[in-house]
Amino acid sequence: MKLFFLVLFVSLLTAGGALSSPAQTSNTGKIAEPKVTRTAAKRNAFDISTVDFKNYTFPDFGITKTEKTFTLTNGRAESRDQHPKYTLRKTYYFDLTDDEQDEAITHVIADGCQMGCDSSNLFYIYTTENARPKLLWKIANAGDILGGLKAIKFNSAEIVVEVFGDCAINNSIITPNVDPTKSSDLKTTNYTRFVFSRSGDRFTQTARELIPLPREKSYANYRSQIIFGEEL
């Protein structure tokens, strides 16, 4: 009998220890194990949304080896020293690296003829490292009618960029393979899809495809699509 009570007492102590930590319940109502990754733990001390990207210095796009920068003040930087005028469009927050911590995707508009005389789209993705923002990836498209942004899609597996016309990429700048300034009647009949796949904390180009458009027309006033986690 004493042996029975001893076994029962030990069993109750063991059960009590197992229940001392509260169980975690997922959105589906099922019991879920705590999901902790080394990268997430490293980043928990810093919230990327606290960075003031309206007043921030960004790396510029260019073909020179010496990388220039521009600084936004209250979301703007006026044209100077052969730089276009920069305007912060918006900063989005989305987990692109599957570590349960958001990255910051900052969209900047550049107005000037350095990358095409229509507005250009600049995208910067910042993650965190050692409690500081770290540039993860950037892309820009030239601002001409052919080479204008059709759509950009962000998810944790890949980034897809679609631009009007037959385009190429050099030094993170997407430009058309034709000169649209030679004819005011040029109309685009196709668009180029670039795919950048994630490997660890990096995105590298893995595909380029030229796709016909349903009909020939001008897309000068087209409103670009910015998509997160959805199909194009």
Side-chain angles (χ1 to χ4, degrees):
M1 182 66 69
K2 289 183 179 180
L3 180 61
F4 170 79
F5 282 115
L6 179 60
V7 171
L8 178 61
F9 179 71
V10 171
S11 299
L12 288 173
L13 284 179
T14 304
L19 293 175
S20 61
S21 298
Q24 295 189 4
T25 306
S26 68
N27 292 334
T28 60
K30 298 179 180 179
I31 302 300
E33 293 296 326
K35 184 178 181 181
V36 179
T37 65
R38 183 176 62 180
T39 306
K42 178 184 70 174
R43 296 185 183 174
N44 275 341
F46 184 80
D47 183 357
I48 192 70
S49 67
T50 63
V51 177
D52 183 8
F53 288 107
K54 291 183 178 179
N55 298 278
Y56 197 82
T57 298
F58 295 87
D60 198 6
F61 291 83
I63 60 174
T64 61
K65 291 183 179 179
T66 303
E67 190 172 72
K68 298 180 179 180
T69 62
F70 66 92
T71 300
L72 295 182
T73 302
N74 295 324
R76 296 173 64 87
E78 296 301 325
S79 177
R80 60 176 180 80
D81 299 330
Q82 298 183 341
H83 282 253
K85 180 178 76 174
Y86 298 99
T87 305
L88 177 66
R89 175 65 181 84
K90 190 172 183 179
T91 295
Y92 305 87
Y93 299 95
F94 188 81
D95 182 9
L96 290 169
T97 56
D98 271 342
D99 63 355
E100 298 186 341
Q101 299 292 308
D102 285 343
E103 276 67 47
I105 302 99
T106 298
H107 181 194
V108 176
I109 303 296
D111 292 301
C113 289
Q114 286 80 0
M115 289 191 296
C117 290
D118 294 326
S119 295
S120 301
N121 294 276
L122 285 56
F123 290 93
Y124 299 89
I125 298 177
Y126 281 91
T127 185
T128 62
E129 185 174 85
N130 299 322
R132 294 175 61 87
K134 175 188 175 182
L135 182 66
L136 179 65
W137 187 79
K138 65 177 184 176
I139 198 74
N141 74 281
D144 291 309
I145 295 173
L146 295 183
L149 181 66
K150 180 178 182 289
I152 184 167
K153 180 186 73 172
F154 298 94
N155 63 45
S156 60
E158 63 184 19
I159 299 171
V160 178
V161 184
E162 295 182 347
V163 287
F164 290 111
D166 181 359
C167 297
I169 185 169
N170 180 31
N171 197 32
S172 300
I173 303 176
I174 298 175
T175 55
N177 288 325
V178 297
D179 184 359
T181 62
K182 291 182 178 179
S183 173
S184 60
D185 298 327
L186 272 177
K187 298 182 187 302
T188 182
T189 59
N190 48 30
Y191 65 96
T192 307
R193 174 180 289 165
F194 296 92
V195 178
F196 303 87
S197 300
R198 181 171 66 87
S199 176
D201 278 359
R202 299 181 59 188
F203 286 89
T204 56
Q205 183 183 339
T206 53
R208 175 189 176 277
E209 183 181 6
L210 190 63
I211 303 171
L213 285 166
R215 64 183 185 276
E216 181 179 307
K217 67 175 185 178
S218 173
Y219 286 86
N221 297 316
Y222 180 84
R223 184 173 181 179
S224 305
Q225 299 178 62
I226 300 175
I227 302 168
F228 291 88
E230 300 177 8
E231 292 298 325
L232 285 174

